Amino acid sequence: ALPEGSSLIANGTFEDDPPGSVPAGYGTWQAEGGTGAFGVDDTTGYRSRRSLRLSGAANACYQYTIDVKPGETYGAESLCRQRGKGSPAMAIYWKDAEHQWNWPAGITRVSYRPYDGEWRQAVARVQVPPTGVAQLTVLLAVEGQASEADTVWFDNLRLVNTTPAAAAAAPRREMTTHFVPRLDPTSLQ
């Protein structure tokens, strides 16, 4: 898990967004000809009512981008729940000052364990490359969904600046497990 601190993601729990919408600050992408459905779901969330939903997507993602400086370090984490087919992942990509993808800077990708019905966590830590990078983009992605019944939900997205000067002011809390236990539905009433 990441240290406590202010997340750079506005409303990473999606509780402030209307059902069916794509939250402010987020972009979406899907492969040409894709028919995946994007939007906030108000029926499934981790310890809440809402999450981001993506269903029926052969290859698609949500994107959230922030400005960064060389040498800074960041941590990203999110939860994912899956029903049906598909391979969900959280990835971090880089863009240059002209907002173009900087492929030589590398990609960090963390897969969620695709067990139906369970919330799984992905955590990634990155350092901004020394040249050619001005933005960090977090992708919440899925590929390989075959029908509208194949769905992933993403929740509790956090992005934290963990550069020592930025992190020094934040209290630390370390966790060692990435398994999120199954919730008893009766406890959510």
Side-chain angles (χ1 to χ4, degrees), residues 14 16 36 38-39 58 65 77 85 87 91 94 97 99 105 111 117 119 121 128 131 137 139 141-142 145 159 175-176:
F14 316 107
D16 299 332
F38 295 88
T65 301
E77 66 183 3
K85 296 180 181 178
S87 297
W94 306 103
H99 312 288
S111 295
W119 285 99
Q121 184 181 46
V128 180
T131 60
T137 300
L139 280 67
V142 68
Q145 292 180 329
L159 180 64
M175 297 177 70
T176 58

PDB file of all heavy atoms in Angstrom, residues 14 16 36 38-39 58 65 77 85 87 91 94 97 99 105 111 117 119 121 128 131 137 139 141-142 145 159 175-176:
ATOM      1  N   PHE A  14     -15.240   8.066  -6.812  1.00  0.00           N
ATOM      2  CA  PHE A  14     -16.327   8.271  -7.777  1.00  0.00           C
ATOM      3  C   PHE A  14     -17.684   8.509  -7.129  1.00  0.00           C
ATOM      4  O   PHE A  14     -18.706   8.454  -7.796  1.00  0.00           O
ATOM      5  CB  PHE A  14     -16.381   7.109  -8.781  1.00  0.00           C
ATOM      6  CG  PHE A  14     -15.009   6.738  -9.255  1.00  0.00           C
ATOM      7  CD1 PHE A  14     -14.399   5.567  -8.823  1.00  0.00           C
ATOM      8  CD2 PHE A  14     -14.290   7.594 -10.060  1.00  0.00           C
ATOM      9  CE1 PHE A  14     -13.100   5.250  -9.216  1.00  0.00           C
ATOM     10  CE2 PHE A  14     -12.990   7.289 -10.457  1.00  0.00           C
ATOM     11  CZ  PHE A  14     -12.408   6.115 -10.037  1.00  0.00           C
ATOM     12  N   ASP A  16     -18.884  11.270  -6.085  1.00  0.00           N
ATOM     13  CA  ASP A  16     -19.455  12.569  -6.453  1.00  0.00           C
ATOM     14  C   ASP A  16     -19.922  12.634  -7.900  1.00  0.00           C
ATOM     15  O   ASP A  16     -20.370  13.680  -8.359  1.00  0.00           O
ATOM     16  CB  ASP A  16     -18.423  13.685  -6.221  1.00  0.00           C
ATOM     17  CG  ASP A  16     -18.012  13.790  -4.770  1.00  0.00           C
ATOM     18  OD1 ASP A  16     -18.826  13.440  -3.888  1.00  0.00           O
ATOM     19  OD2 ASP A  16     -16.872  14.206  -4.507  1.00  0.00           O
ATOM     20  N   GLY A  36     -17.195  -1.075 -26.183  1.00  0.00           N
ATOM     21  CA  GLY A  36     -17.223  -1.120 -24.727  1.00  0.00           C
ATOM     22  C   GLY A  36     -18.031   0.020 -24.141  1.00  0.00           C
ATOM     23  O   GLY A  36     -18.105   1.107 -24.717  1.00  0.00           O
ATOM     24  N   PHE A  38     -18.558   2.625 -21.007  1.00  0.00           N
ATOM     25  CA  PHE A  38     -17.867   3.306 -19.914  1.00  0.00           C
ATOM     26  C   PHE A  38     -18.885   4.012 -19.029  1.00  0.00           C
ATOM     27  O   PHE A  38     -19.921   4.458 -19.512  1.00  0.00           O
ATOM     28  CB  PHE A  38     -16.950   4.399 -20.469  1.00  0.00           C
ATOM     29  CG  PHE A  38     -15.810   3.922 -21.313  1.00  0.00           C
ATOM     30  CD1 PHE A  38     -15.963   3.743 -22.674  1.00  0.00           C
ATOM     31  CD2 PHE A  38     -14.568   3.682 -20.743  1.00  0.00           C
ATOM     32  CE1 PHE A  38     -14.897   3.334 -23.467  1.00  0.00           C
ATOM     33  CE2 PHE A  38     -13.494   3.274 -21.517  1.00  0.00           C
ATOM     34  CZ  PHE A  38     -13.668   3.097 -22.884  1.00  0.00           C
ATOM     35  N   GLY A  39     -18.562   4.200 -17.738  1.00  0.00           N
ATOM     36  CA  GLY A  39     -19.377   5.062 -16.892  1.00  0.00           C
ATOM     37  C   GLY A  39     -19.341   4.673 -15.434  1.00  0.00           C
ATOM     38  O   GLY A  39     -18.951   3.561 -15.066  1.00  0.00           O
ATOM     39  N   ALA A  58     -13.117  -5.015 -25.963  1.00  0.00           N
ATOM     40  CA  ALA A  58     -12.027  -5.867 -26.443  1.00  0.00           C
ATOM     41  C   ALA A  58     -10.685  -5.316 -25.987  1.00  0.00           C
ATOM     42  O   ALA A  58      -9.770  -6.067 -25.662  1.00  0.00           O
ATOM     43  CB  ALA A  58     -12.073  -5.972 -27.961  1.00  0.00           C
ATOM     44  N   THR A  65      -4.408  12.029 -16.176  1.00  0.00           N
ATOM     45  CA  THR A  65      -3.071  12.571 -16.433  1.00  0.00           C
ATOM     46  C   THR A  65      -2.759  13.732 -15.499  1.00  0.00           C
ATOM     47  O   THR A  65      -3.624  14.580 -15.250  1.00  0.00           O
ATOM     48  CB  THR A  65      -2.966  13.042 -17.899  1.00  0.00           C
ATOM     49  OG1 THR A  65      -3.221  11.916 -18.756  1.00  0.00           O
ATOM     50  CG2 THR A  65      -1.604  13.622 -18.216  1.00  0.00           C
ATOM     51  N   GLU A  77      -2.362   3.335  -6.753  1.00  0.00           N
ATOM     52  CA  GLU A  77      -3.040   2.121  -6.322  1.00  0.00           C
ATOM     53  C   GLU A  77      -4.514   2.232  -6.661  1.00  0.00           C
ATOM     54  O   GLU A  77      -5.070   3.332  -6.734  1.00  0.00           O
ATOM     55  CB  GLU A  77      -2.844   1.847  -4.827  1.00  0.00           C
ATOM     56  CG  GLU A  77      -3.478   2.842  -3.905  1.00  0.00           C
ATOM     57  CD  GLU A  77      -3.195   2.565  -2.429  1.00  0.00           C
ATOM     58  OE1 GLU A  77      -2.457   1.615  -2.109  1.00  0.00           O
ATOM     59  OE2 GLU A  77      -3.705   3.319  -1.592  1.00  0.00           O
ATOM     60  N   LYS A  85     -15.164 -12.633 -18.576  1.00  0.00           N
ATOM     61  CA  LYS A  85     -13.859 -12.673 -19.233  1.00  0.00           C
ATOM     62  C   LYS A  85     -13.178 -11.320 -19.235  1.00  0.00           C
ATOM     63  O   LYS A  85     -13.812 -10.289 -19.067  1.00  0.00           O
ATOM     64  CB  LYS A  85     -14.032 -13.158 -20.674  1.00  0.00           C
ATOM     65  CG  LYS A  85     -14.534 -14.574 -20.776  1.00  0.00           C
ATOM     66  CD  LYS A  85     -14.674 -14.988 -22.212  1.00  0.00           C
ATOM     67  CE  LYS A  85     -15.204 -16.419 -22.277  1.00  0.00           C
ATOM     68  NZ  LYS A  85     -15.401 -16.855 -23.645  1.00  0.00           N
ATOM     69  N   SER A  87      -8.920  -9.261 -19.054  1.00  0.00           N
ATOM     70  CA  SER A  87      -7.682  -9.114 -18.289  1.00  0.00           C
ATOM     71  C   SER A  87      -7.527  -7.665 -17.864  1.00  0.00           C
ATOM     72  O   SER A  87      -7.044  -6.835 -18.632  1.00  0.00           O
ATOM     73  CB  SER A  87      -6.480  -9.533 -19.143  1.00  0.00           C
ATOM     74  OG  SER A  87      -6.571 -10.886 -19.489  1.00  0.00           O
ATOM     75  N   ALA A  91      -1.987   0.686 -15.392  1.00  0.00           N
ATOM     76  CA  ALA A  91      -0.713   0.958 -16.052  1.00  0.00           C
ATOM     77  C   ALA A  91      -0.360   2.426 -15.906  1.00  0.00           C
ATOM     78  O   ALA A  91      -1.237   3.280 -15.749  1.00  0.00           O
ATOM     79  CB  ALA A  91      -0.791   0.581 -17.531  1.00  0.00           C
ATOM     80  N   TRP A  94       3.893   7.545 -19.907  1.00  0.00           N
ATOM     81  CA  TRP A  94       4.479   8.879 -19.856  1.00  0.00           C
ATOM     82  C   TRP A  94       4.146   9.654 -21.127  1.00  0.00           C
ATOM     83  O   TRP A  94       4.041   9.081 -22.207  1.00  0.00           O
ATOM     84  CB  TRP A  94       5.998   8.786 -19.725  1.00  0.00           C
ATOM     85  CG  TRP A  94       6.436   7.951 -18.563  1.00  0.00           C
ATOM     86  CD1 TRP A  94       6.907   6.674 -18.603  1.00  0.00           C
ATOM     87  CD2 TRP A  94       6.431   8.326 -17.186  1.00  0.00           C
ATOM     88  NE1 TRP A  94       7.207   6.226 -17.338  1.00  0.00           N
ATOM     89  CE2 TRP A  94       6.917   7.224 -16.437  1.00  0.00           C
ATOM     90  CE3 TRP A  94       6.066   9.480 -16.505  1.00  0.00           C
ATOM     91  CZ2 TRP A  94       7.053   7.244 -15.064  1.00  0.00           C
ATOM     92  CZ3 TRP A  94       6.202   9.494 -15.127  1.00  0.00           C
ATOM     93  CH2 TRP A  94       6.689   8.393 -14.421  1.00  0.00           C
ATOM     94  N   ALA A  97       6.235  17.057 -23.311  1.00  0.00           N
ATOM     95  CA  ALA A  97       5.690  18.404 -23.122  1.00  0.00           C
ATOM     96  C   ALA A  97       4.621  18.747 -24.156  1.00  0.00           C
ATOM     97  O   ALA A  97       3.805  19.636 -23.935  1.00  0.00           O
ATOM     98  CB  ALA A  97       6.815  19.431 -23.162  1.00  0.00           C
ATOM     99  N   HIS A  99       2.322  16.659 -25.023  1.00  0.00           N
ATOM    100  CA  HIS A  99       1.225  15.733 -24.679  1.00  0.00           C
ATOM    101  C   HIS A  99       1.178  14.506 -25.583  1.00  0.00           C
ATOM    102  O   HIS A  99       0.133  13.891 -25.768  1.00  0.00           O
ATOM    103  CB  HIS A  99      -0.129  16.449 -24.684  1.00  0.00           C
ATOM    104  CG  HIS A  99      -0.116  17.728 -23.925  1.00  0.00           C
ATOM    105  ND1 HIS A  99      -0.052  17.782 -22.558  1.00  0.00           N
ATOM    106  CD2 HIS A  99      -0.121  19.019 -24.350  1.00  0.00           C
ATOM    107  CE1 HIS A  99      -0.029  19.044 -22.170  1.00  0.00           C
ATOM    108  NE2 HIS A  99      -0.064  19.808 -23.240  1.00  0.00           N
ATOM    109  N   ALA A 105      10.286   5.997 -22.771  1.00  0.00           N
ATOM    110  CA  ALA A 105      10.386   6.193 -21.320  1.00  0.00           C
ATOM    111  C   ALA A 105       9.911   4.971 -20.542  1.00  0.00           C
ATOM    112  O   ALA A 105      10.169   4.850 -19.354  1.00  0.00           O
ATOM    113  CB  ALA A 105       9.590   7.428 -20.898  1.00  0.00           C
ATOM    114  N   SER A 111      -1.114  -6.200 -13.196  1.00  0.00           N
ATOM    115  CA  SER A 111      -2.378  -6.903 -13.428  1.00  0.00           C
ATOM    116  C   SER A 111      -3.080  -7.177 -12.105  1.00  0.00           C
ATOM    117  O   SER A 111      -2.439  -7.442 -11.093  1.00  0.00           O
ATOM    118  CB  SER A 111      -2.136  -8.226 -14.150  1.00  0.00           C
ATOM    119  OG  SER A 111      -1.626  -7.987 -15.432  1.00  0.00           O
ATOM    120  N   GLY A 117     -15.780 -11.791  -8.721  1.00  0.00           N
ATOM    121  CA  GLY A 117     -16.448 -11.408  -7.492  1.00  0.00           C
ATOM    122  C   GLY A 117     -15.584 -10.840  -6.394  1.00  0.00           C
ATOM    123  O   GLY A 117     -16.104 -10.344  -5.406  1.00  0.00           O
ATOM    124  N   TRP A 119     -12.659  -8.187  -4.910  1.00  0.00           N
ATOM    125  CA  TRP A 119     -11.921  -6.946  -5.128  1.00  0.00           C
ATOM    126  C   TRP A 119     -10.434  -7.237  -4.968  1.00  0.00           C
ATOM    127  O   TRP A 119     -10.022  -7.845  -3.977  1.00  0.00           O
ATOM    128  CB  TRP A 119     -12.350  -5.874  -4.120  1.00  0.00           C
ATOM    129  CG  TRP A 119     -13.684  -5.285  -4.440  1.00  0.00           C
ATOM    130  CD1 TRP A 119     -14.881  -5.614  -3.869  1.00  0.00           C
ATOM    131  CD2 TRP A 119     -13.965  -4.268  -5.397  1.00  0.00           C
ATOM    132  NE1 TRP A 119     -15.880  -4.865  -4.417  1.00  0.00           N
ATOM    133  CE2 TRP A 119     -15.354  -4.019  -5.356  1.00  0.00           C
ATOM    134  CE3 TRP A 119     -13.184  -3.531  -6.293  1.00  0.00           C
ATOM    135  CZ2 TRP A 119     -15.973  -3.079  -6.171  1.00  0.00           C
ATOM    136  CZ3 TRP A 119     -13.800  -2.593  -7.100  1.00  0.00           C
ATOM    137  CH2 TRP A 119     -15.176  -2.372  -7.040  1.00  0.00           C
ATOM    138  N   GLN A 121      -6.341  -5.567  -5.447  1.00  0.00           N
ATOM    139  CA  GLN A 121      -5.597  -4.309  -5.453  1.00  0.00           C
ATOM    140  C   GLN A 121      -4.381  -4.400  -6.362  1.00  0.00           C
ATOM    141  O   GLN A 121      -3.716  -5.435  -6.420  1.00  0.00           O
ATOM    142  CB  GLN A 121      -5.145  -3.967  -4.036  1.00  0.00           C
ATOM    143  CG  GLN A 121      -4.433  -2.624  -3.941  1.00  0.00           C
ATOM    144  CD  GLN A 121      -3.983  -2.329  -2.527  1.00  0.00           C
ATOM    145  OE1 GLN A 121      -3.410  -3.176  -1.854  1.00  0.00           O
ATOM    146  NE2 GLN A 121      -4.243  -1.121  -2.087  1.00  0.00           N
ATOM    147  N   VAL A 128       9.920   9.478 -12.315  1.00  0.00           N
ATOM    148  CA  VAL A 128       9.858  10.206 -13.578  1.00  0.00           C
ATOM    149  C   VAL A 128      11.240  10.171 -14.231  1.00  0.00           C
ATOM    150  O   VAL A 128      12.242  10.499 -13.587  1.00  0.00           O
ATOM    151  CB  VAL A 128       9.403  11.659 -13.354  1.00  0.00           C
ATOM    152  CG1 VAL A 128       9.344  12.419 -14.681  1.00  0.00           C
ATOM    153  CG2 VAL A 128       8.052  11.701 -12.640  1.00  0.00           C
ATOM    154  N   THR A 131      14.650  12.846 -18.672  1.00  0.00           N
ATOM    155  CA  THR A 131      14.415  13.707 -19.846  1.00  0.00           C
ATOM    156  C   THR A 131      13.220  13.218 -20.640  1.00  0.00           C
ATOM    157  O   THR A 131      12.863  12.030 -20.608  1.00  0.00           O
ATOM    158  CB  THR A 131      15.638  13.723 -20.793  1.00  0.00           C
ATOM    159  OG1 THR A 131      15.872  12.385 -21.245  1.00  0.00           O
ATOM    160  CG2 THR A 131      16.882  14.261 -20.113  1.00  0.00           C
ATOM    161  N   THR A 137       0.462   9.420 -16.899  1.00  0.00           N
ATOM    162  CA  THR A 137      -0.924   9.017 -17.138  1.00  0.00           C
ATOM    163  C   THR A 137      -1.165   7.655 -16.516  1.00  0.00           C
ATOM    164  O   THR A 137      -0.446   6.699 -16.806  1.00  0.00           O
ATOM    165  CB  THR A 137      -1.242   8.968 -18.644  1.00  0.00           C
ATOM    166  OG1 THR A 137      -1.049  10.267 -19.209  1.00  0.00           O
ATOM    167  CG2 THR A 137      -2.680   8.541 -18.892  1.00  0.00           C
ATOM    168  N   LEU A 139      -3.612   4.516 -16.332  1.00  0.00           N
ATOM    169  CA  LEU A 139      -4.651   3.849 -17.103  1.00  0.00           C
ATOM    170  C   LEU A 139      -5.272   2.748 -16.264  1.00  0.00           C
ATOM    171  O   LEU A 139      -4.556   1.965 -15.634  1.00  0.00           O
ATOM    172  CB  LEU A 139      -4.072   3.209 -18.369  1.00  0.00           C
ATOM    173  CG  LEU A 139      -3.816   4.087 -19.578  1.00  0.00           C
ATOM    174  CD1 LEU A 139      -2.720   5.087 -19.327  1.00  0.00           C
ATOM    175  CD2 LEU A 139      -3.483   3.239 -20.776  1.00  0.00           C
ATOM    176  N   ALA A 141      -7.371  -0.289 -17.215  1.00  0.00           N
ATOM    177  CA  ALA A 141      -7.604  -0.897 -18.520  1.00  0.00           C
ATOM    178  C   ALA A 141      -8.132  -2.322 -18.417  1.00  0.00           C
ATOM    179  O   ALA A 141      -7.970  -2.990 -17.396  1.00  0.00           O
ATOM    180  CB  ALA A 141      -6.288  -0.911 -19.304  1.00  0.00           C
ATOM    181  N   VAL A 142      -8.729  -2.760 -19.517  1.00  0.00           N
ATOM    182  CA  VAL A 142      -9.122  -4.156 -19.659  1.00  0.00           C
ATOM    183  C   VAL A 142      -9.022  -4.527 -21.137  1.00  0.00           C
ATOM    184  O   VAL A 142      -9.226  -3.693 -22.014  1.00  0.00           O
ATOM    185  CB  VAL A 142     -10.549  -4.423 -19.117  1.00  0.00           C
ATOM    186  CG1 VAL A 142     -11.613  -3.747 -19.969  1.00  0.00           C
ATOM    187  CG2 VAL A 142     -10.818  -5.915 -19.002  1.00  0.00           C
ATOM    188  N   GLN A 145     -12.485  -8.733 -23.185  1.00  0.00           N
ATOM    189  CA  GLN A 145     -13.879  -8.977 -22.848  1.00  0.00           C
ATOM    190  C   GLN A 145     -14.611  -9.395 -24.127  1.00  0.00           C
ATOM    191  O   GLN A 145     -14.378  -8.823 -25.200  1.00  0.00           O
ATOM    192  CB  GLN A 145     -14.530  -7.737 -22.237  1.00  0.00           C
ATOM    193  CG  GLN A 145     -13.970  -7.401 -20.876  1.00  0.00           C
ATOM    194  CD  GLN A 145     -14.604  -6.167 -20.261  1.00  0.00           C
ATOM    195  OE1 GLN A 145     -15.018  -5.244 -20.959  1.00  0.00           O
ATOM    196  NE2 GLN A 145     -14.671  -6.144 -18.943  1.00  0.00           N
ATOM    197  N   LEU A 159      -3.256   8.392  -6.395  1.00  0.00           N
ATOM    198  CA  LEU A 159      -1.950   8.707  -6.955  1.00  0.00           C
ATOM    199  C   LEU A 159      -1.298   9.671  -5.985  1.00  0.00           C
ATOM    200  O   LEU A 159      -1.847  10.742  -5.701  1.00  0.00           O
ATOM    201  CB  LEU A 159      -2.077   9.329  -8.342  1.00  0.00           C
ATOM    202  CG  LEU A 159      -0.777   9.698  -9.047  1.00  0.00           C
ATOM    203  CD1 LEU A 159       0.056   8.456  -9.331  1.00  0.00           C
ATOM    204  CD2 LEU A 159      -1.078  10.438 -10.344  1.00  0.00           C
ATOM    205  N   MET A 175       1.078  -1.539   4.652  1.00  0.00           N
ATOM    206  CA  MET A 175       0.279  -2.753   4.684  1.00  0.00           C
ATOM    207  C   MET A 175       1.031  -3.807   3.886  1.00  0.00           C
ATOM    208  O   MET A 175       1.731  -3.496   2.937  1.00  0.00           O
ATOM    209  CB  MET A 175      -1.099  -2.509   4.071  1.00  0.00           C
ATOM    210  CG  MET A 175      -1.918  -1.494   4.858  1.00  0.00           C
ATOM    211  SD  MET A 175      -3.488  -1.141   4.095  1.00  0.00           S
ATOM    212  CE  MET A 175      -4.335  -2.676   4.374  1.00  0.00           C
ATOM    213  N   THR A 176       0.843  -5.056   4.238  1.00  0.00           N
ATOM    214  CA  THR A 176       1.590  -6.104   3.553  1.00  0.00           C
ATOM    215  C   THR A 176       0.732  -6.974   2.666  1.00  0.00           C
ATOM    216  O   THR A 176       1.249  -7.779   1.916  1.00  0.00           O
ATOM    217  CB  THR A 176       2.291  -7.003   4.587  1.00  0.00           C
ATOM    218  OG1 THR A 176       1.305  -7.547   5.463  1.00  0.00           O
ATOM    219  CG2 THR A 176       3.311  -6.214   5.372  1.00  0.00           C
TER     220      THR A 176
END
